[in-house]
Amino acid sequence: MKNVFKSLVAVAAVAAAFSAGAQSFPGGKPITIIVPFAAGGPTDKVARDLAEALRKPLGGATVIVDNAAGAGGSIGANKVAKANPDGYTLLVHHIGMATMPTLVRNIPFKVESDFEYLGMINDVPMTLIGKPTLPANNYKELVTWIQANKGKINLGNAGVGSASHLCGMLFQHAVGVDMTAVPYKGTGPAMTDLMGGQIDLMCDQTTNTTSVIEGKKVKAFAVTSPKRLSTPALKDLPTLQEMGVKDFNVSIFHGLYAPKGTPPAVLKTLNDALKAALKDPEFIKREEGLGAVVMADKRVEPAEHKKFVASEINKWSPLIKAANVYVE
Ligand code: ASP
């Protein structure tokens, strides 16, 4: 009896501590968003904008961005999968959550079961861009240049399993020319080398390419979405589908995740804050100016976010297998 009483007291104490913790979340403690790519790239940019927009709905909390780059985004994702599930360590990741399971063999975490899904942030098309000195001025000329320079072309990416890697692999497959992949820890540093002419081509999200296309620091050849974009700097770019690359449709979504086992009350606080951030006029203006579509449909709900990632895994798995673009 005494033991039963002791256990009941212990259970009550844990429950009280849990609910006090959840109620006071985030309290005075800073929240860290891990970005699995280098600073200055598109995933980093969206995470920093989101961190800013989350501050107010989280009662003025400090939200820090920390870059844990490498291995195409799997190092940072793994860090969050293994982090303390208390709501203070979160992950902003992109389509890699859906492509890594097929593209990269032996990833050290499970996308479906090692994370709590907090809601999607945005959807961002990619652009196919080249170094400023590239002699081609449009997509047709680019294909002619590619055919004439077989074996000599370098294609930058953010590492195996990244979005730029996937897009670049599919593009090479579509034009039937192998190019040398040059991996970086993110397309932020890769962009510096593309502008400097150290690499020839790259695919990257419009959130990182709009300003450099506008400033004529790189050449832009096409967008990877099935529809042309309305952003002024990008509206004249053809889609790859228009250019005869059948079914080419790569759109990059970003989502927010927490480690599996984060308390439900903390998850609710974070999801409510995310929804408020996605309605922040400043955040919307910034994202839309860079060609992104801020998430406004049911995929801001955790269950729908999870369902969508599962459907993207099913969508990409056969395409990646058909294109034979595995990475060991
Ligand atoms: N755009 C990158 C990718 O190719 C990642 C980044 O630096 O945000 O996956």
Side-chain angles (χ1 to χ4, degrees), residues 35 37-38 41-44 72 94 126 157-158 161-165 185-189 203-205 254:
V35 168
F37 297 103
T43 312
D44 181 67
H94 62 20
M126 293 189 111
N157 69 36
S162 64
S164 43
H165 175 238
K185 288 197 168 174
T187 43
C203 282
D204 201 11
Q205 284 105 302
H254 294 90

Side-chain angles (χ1 to χ4, degrees), residues 33 73-74 82 196 223 227 257 264 283 305 311 317 320 327:
I33 297 179
S74 51
K82 310 281 188 302
V223 291
K227 276 194 193 145
Y257 305 83
F283 180 76
H305 176 197
S311 74
S317 176
I320 293 167
V327 177

Side-chain angles (χ1 to χ4, degrees), residues 35-50 65 67 69 92 94 122 124 126 157-158 163-164 184-192 195 202-212 252 254 286-287 290:
V35 168
F37 297 103
T43 312
D44 181 67
K45 280 187 181 126
V46 70
R48 284 176 199 274
D49 288 346
L50 183 71
V65 171
N67 301 82
V92 165
H94 62 20
N122 64 10
V124 193
M126 293 189 111
N157 69 36
S164 43
Y184 292 81
K185 288 197 168 174
T187 43
M191 186 67 81
T192 308
M195 292 190 295
M202 184 164 79
C203 282
D204 201 11
Q205 284 105 302
T206 59
T207 34
N208 199 34
T209 64
T210 305
S211 64
V212 285
I252 308 304
H254 294 90
R286 223 179 122 58
E287 293 294 299
L290 297 173

